[in-house]
Amino acid sequence: VQPPEKPLQAEEWNKLREDFQLPEIFEEVMLNNMIRCNSPIDVAKSLLTHLAKRNGDIAYNVLVKYLTLCVQQGQVSEIHDVYDIMKVRFKILESGAYNLLIKGLSNSDEWRMALTLLEEVKKIMIPSRTCYESCIKAASRHQEMKLAFELYHEMLAKDVVPTLDVLQSFFNFSRGMKGAELQKQLFGILLYLRENQIYPHKTFMRSIKLWFESIPGGNWRGNLTNIKDSGQCPVCKHQLEDSNLTEEEYSNLSERIIRDVIHGTDTFRKTSPKEFEAFQTFVENRLPFDIVIDGLNVSHMKSRKMQCENLFDAVNCLAKENARLLVLGRKHMLMNSSNWKREIMKEMQNKADFFFAENISEDDAFLLYATLRSGKHCRFVTRDFLRDHKACLPDSLTRHLFRKWQRGHQIAFSFSSVFSQQPALRYDCVVQTTGDTWHIPYKDVFEEKYSYEVPRKWLCIQQK
Amino acid sequence: MQSANMLLRKIVRSSVLPFAAQHGMKKDLFPLSRTLSISLCLKQDKSCEPSEKLDLDEWKKVMKSGLQEEVSETVSEPEELSSLAAARETLEMWRLAGRAVPDNISEEQLKTFMECPSKSAKKKYLKYLHIRELHKKNDKRKMDEKRERRLEAQDQASNTDETKKNSFLFLPSSTMDKAYLWRAAQSMIFGQPLVFDMSYEKEMSVREVTNTVRQIVMSESCNRRAVDPFHIHFCNLKDDSLYHREFIKNYKEAWGKLLITVTDQCYTEIFPKDKLIYLTADSPKVMKKFDHDKIYIVGSMVDKSIKTGVSLARAKRLGLETAALPLEKYLLWNTGAKNLTLDQMMHILLTLKDTADWRKALEFVPKRKYCAFVNKPVKELKKTLDLINTIRRGKGREEVENQFAKNHPKRYKLK
C-alpha cells in the first residue's frame, strides 16, 4: 500500500484499513511503508492518533516504528516525546528502541542525553556497537575527545568490535588539535589496526594523512606510494619490516600447528599416530628442505595435461637452483594409471624427496609440519588457501601469525601457459612505524573482498 | 462522570493490568479499557468539532493521560529486580517488539536463556522455544478437535441401533504388542546383531544428544515392528551419562523391559573384530551388498556442525573395517550431506536385510536430497548430470564449473 501524502481523518484511515486484506497488521505494514517512502511525520502522527482513539493504547512495536521514522528525519522533539511515553509505560526497553533513541539524540544538540541513555542500557545489557558508535561520534564532534576515547576503551574492554567508521571519526575530528595525550591515543588506534591486521580503506587513509599533516609543529608529510618487491619504500627509502616471524612467534606457531591442526581432538581424524611418526622420522632424517610441494594440488594445475606431467613441470621448474625439494602425495599416485605414469614418477623421485601418505589422510597437515620444521628459509607450494587449517587454530592471535607466516612462505603458481611463480612477500604487510615514519597499507575500496589478498598500495608518512 | 471514568481507568491500569499481563489474560480485559477510552475521546472530539482540524499530537495525550497517575505509584514499587525477573522483563519487551519469543517460559528455560554465551545464541534459543510452543499448541488444538468429533460420532452412534456386530476378528493392540515382543525375543537369541556406538557424547551439544536419543527410539520401534528384527546392542553406554538419562526420559519405566542389549563395554570386546563393519559416510569403501554374517555398527551421533571424520577416526583407531552406503551409485545426488539420520539408517538396513534390494532400501533417503534413481554406470551418470546442469542453468555454466575446478582443486583429488 502507498502511504497517503497528507494526514487523514479517522474515517479515512478506517476505510483504508477495511480495504486492506489483513486488517490486523494494517498499521504495521503502513508504518513500514512510511519508513521506506520517508513519508512526512504528520501522516504517521495522524495514524497514531487514529489508533489511540480506537484502542486507547498504542502497541510497543508500533511506537518503535514511529520512532524509526522520527530518527530517520531527525525530529528531535518527537524523539523526546516518544521516549517520555515509553519510559513511563514500560519499565525497560529493548535494544532496538535504545539503538534508535541513542542514534536519534546523538545527532542533535542534546547528545548528552544519548550518553545518559547509554548508561541506562549498560545496566541491562552490553550496548551494541552502533550505540557506542553514535555516542563516540557525538562526543568527538563536540570536541570532547577525552570522553570519546573513554567510551572507545570501554567498548574494547567489553569485546565490542569498533567499526572502521568510529576509528575514522577520531582522525577526522582531531584534525589540527594539539596535545601529547591525544596524539598518543591516535597512535594507539594505528597500533590497533596493526595488531588486528586491519587495512584502512581509501577515505580512512586520507583522514589519517590529513590528521598527520595537520598536527601543529609536527612537520609530517604523507605520500601515496607502491612498495617494491624488495620491500623498500620509494619515497623515504626506508626498508619495511620483513615478513619473518620472531624466534618466539615461530616456535609458538609450529607448536600450535602440530597440536591443533595435526592432532586436534583426535589424531586419527587427519592421519594416524603411526603414520605421523613415520613421517616425522622421514622428515628428521632429510632436513632441511628449501621448498615443500603439495604434489596433488600442483598436479591439477592444468586440466588438459596429465596430472603427473603437471607435477613434473613444477618440480623441474623449482629444482633448478639446487634447492632441496620435498613432494607430498598420496599412495594412489604410485599406482600406474592413466594420470600417473610410473616412469615419470621414477624420474621425479631422483630430483626430489617424496612422501606418500595414506589415501584417506590429509596431506596438508604434513605440508605445514615439514615446512615449519625445516626452518624460516623454507617455503611451500600450493594454491590452496589453507583456510580450513587456519580455522583449526583456536585464537585470533595465532591465526594472525599463521596468516603472516603464510604470506611470507607460500609460493603460488599462476595459470598462464608457462609456469610462473608468484613470489612470497618478503616484507610484512601491516601498519608499521619507526617513530619518525609510518607506513600504512590501504585498500582502494571499502569492502574487503578476499581476506587473503593484501593491499599493494601504501601511505608513507615521514617527519621532516 | 469524568472523575468516575478516571477512577476506573486508574484501577484498571494500576492493579489489574500487570496481573493480567502476567497471566496472559490481557485480551479478555482490553475491551473494558477500550470502551472507556473511546467514550473519553468522543467527548473531546465534540469539543473541537467546529474547527474540523486534526490534532496530530492527540495520541500523546491519550498515551499520557492514563499514565500520570501511574507514575506516582510506580515510584513506590521495589526497584531492585532479581536477575531472573530482569531477564523475564527483557523477554517481555522482545515479545512486544514482535520478535520470536515464547509466550510462557519456565524458570529452568529462563536460566538456560541467561546462560547462553552470546546474543545470537539467546535469539536462537528463544526462537526454538517459540516454535516448539507453536507446535504444541497446534497439536493440542488438533487433539481437542478430534475429541469433539469423536464425541459427536458417539452421540450419533448411540442414537442409531447399536446391535450391528463386527464380523471381523478383533485384534487388540496389546495382542500385536505381544507378537512383536515374541519376535524381538527371538531376535535376542537368533537375530543378527546391530550395534549403536554410544561414545560420541563429548562430540555433541546437549540438544544434539537429545535428538540422537529420539532418533534411536524411533529406530528401535521400527525394528520391533519388522518381520525379522535385528538384535540391537547399545555399546559404550555408561550409566548416568547424558545418553542414559535421555533414554530414561523417553522410555520411562519401559527402559528396563526393552528387548535389546545395553552394555558399557565396547563392541570390540563382545564381537570378533573381523566381523565388525563400521558404517560411516566418510568411509572410502562403498558397501556392495548387505552381509548377513557381519555385525554393522552405527555411530549414535547427530552432527549439526559438520565435524567430518569423527566416526571414521574411531574406526581407524580400533582398526575396524568401514563402509559407506552406495548413495552415489544408485542416486543422482542433489543437495544435503550424505549422512542420514539413525532411523533412516535403520529402515534402510532392515529393508536390505529382508530384500537385498538397494532401490527399495534407498527409498528411505529423504526425497529432497536426490533427483532420481540411476541404474547406469558412473560415466553415463556424469553425462546425465552435466546435461541436467546445462539445461537447468543454461550456457555459461561450464565456465563457472571450470572456474570452480581451478579454485578448488582439492575437491577433485580423490575422484
Side-chain angles (χ1 to χ4, degrees), chain B residues 142-163:
Chain B
K142 275 181 197 160
M143 286 267 278
D144 289 345
E145 277 172 15
K146 215 175 169 185
R147 186 179 304 133
E148 225 147 80
R149 251 180 283 142
R150 205 176 50 218
L151 283 177
E152 259 173 45
Q154 264 179 12
D155 278 350
Q156 277 179 357
S158 62
N159 289 339
T160 57
D161 201 359
E162 229 182 310
T163 50

Side-chain angles (χ1 to χ4, degrees), chain A residues 7-10 42 45-46 48-49 52-58 60-61 63 66 77-78 81-82 84-85 88-96 125-128 265-272 294 296-297 300-301 330 332 359-364 383-385 389 415, chain B residues 9 13 30 33-34 37-38 41 45 52-60 62-64 66-68 70-71 74 77-79 81 86 89-90 93-94 96-99 119 203 282 284 306-310 312-314 316-318 402 405-410 412-414:
Chain A
L8 299 185
Q9 296 287 350
D42 285 347
K45 276 184 182 173
S46 78
L48 289 194
T49 306
K53 276 189 197 170
R54 206 185 58 214
N55 298 348
D57 191 23
I58 294 172
Y60 178 77
N61 58 345
L63 279 180
Y66 176 67
S77 68
E78 277 306 302
D81 284 351
V82 176
D84 287 341
I85 286 171
V88 186
R89 194 43 85 76
F90 308 102
K91 222 181 250 171
I92 55 167
L93 306 183
E94 50 76 66
S95 53
M125 57 188 141
I126 296 176
S128 66
T265 50
D266 187 352
T267 317
F268 283 96
R269 278 175 73 170
K270 286 189 173 155
T271 165
S272 67
D294 183 347
L296 277 168
N297 188 293
H300 284 270
M301 191 80 68
R330 292 214 182 97
H332 73 82
N359 291 341
I360 51 170
S361 294
E362 284 238 16
D363 49 357
D364 283 347
R383 280 182 303 159
D384 199 295
F385 298 124
H389 304 292
F415 321 96
Chain B
R9 289 176 66 83
R13 287 225 184 276
F30 258 114
S33 62
R34 193 176 296 170
S37 51
I38 284 174
C41 298
D45 257 1
E52 197 57 56
K53 217 185 150 255
L54 256 173
D55 180 7
L56 289 173
D57 286 332
E58 201 176 326
W59 63 277
K60 288 180 195 162
V62 176
M63 290 296 280
K64 280 176 186 166
L67 299 170
Q68 246 71 50
E70 211 182 336
V71 177
T74 46
E77 258 178 48
E79 275 296 301
L81 285 169
E89 199 83 15
T90 321
M93 289 320 288
W94 284 10
L96 287 180
R99 295 208 210 175
K119 269 186 197 168
E203 249 76 51
D282 296 320
I306 307 298
K307 302 177 198 84
T308 41
V310 175
L312 183 65
R314 181 123 346 184
K316 262 206 253 172
R317 180 193 295 278
L318 297 168
N402 282 340
K406 275 176 194 167
N407 292 337
H408 306 268
K410 291 226 94 176
Y412 288 76
K413 264 186 196 175
L414 267 174

Side-chain angles (χ1 to χ4, degrees), chain B residues 54-120:
Chain B
L54 256 173
D55 180 7
L56 289 173
D57 286 332
E58 201 176 326
W59 63 277
K60 288 180 195 162
K61 279 182 221 150
V62 176
M63 290 296 280
K64 280 176 186 166
S65 63
L67 299 170
Q68 246 71 50
E69 313 104 64
E70 211 182 336
V71 177
S72 54
E73 271 166 67
T74 46
V75 172
S76 60
E77 258 178 48
E79 275 296 301
E80 282 303 304
L81 285 169
S82 74
S83 57
L84 268 180
R88 211 173 265 283
E89 199 83 15
T90 321
L91 273 186
E92 177 62 17
M93 289 320 288
W94 284 10
R95 206 172 60 75
L96 287 180
R99 295 208 210 175
V101 170
D103 290 340
N104 301 305
I105 189 163
S106 70
E107 199 101 311
E108 203 178 326
Q109 287 168 337
L110 206 61
K111 267 180 197 149
T112 325
F113 163 73
M114 279 158 61
E115 277 159 16
C116 287
S118 66
K119 269 186 197 168
S120 62

Side-chain angles (χ1 to χ4, degrees), chain B residues 169-188:
Chain B
L169 263 179
F170 186 56
L171 208 58
S173 60
S174 62
T175 319
M176 288 303 284
D177 282 346
K178 267 181 203 155
Y180 290 145
L181 282 180
W182 169 248
R183 268 193 223 147
Q186 291 281 308
S187 82
M188 290 277 288

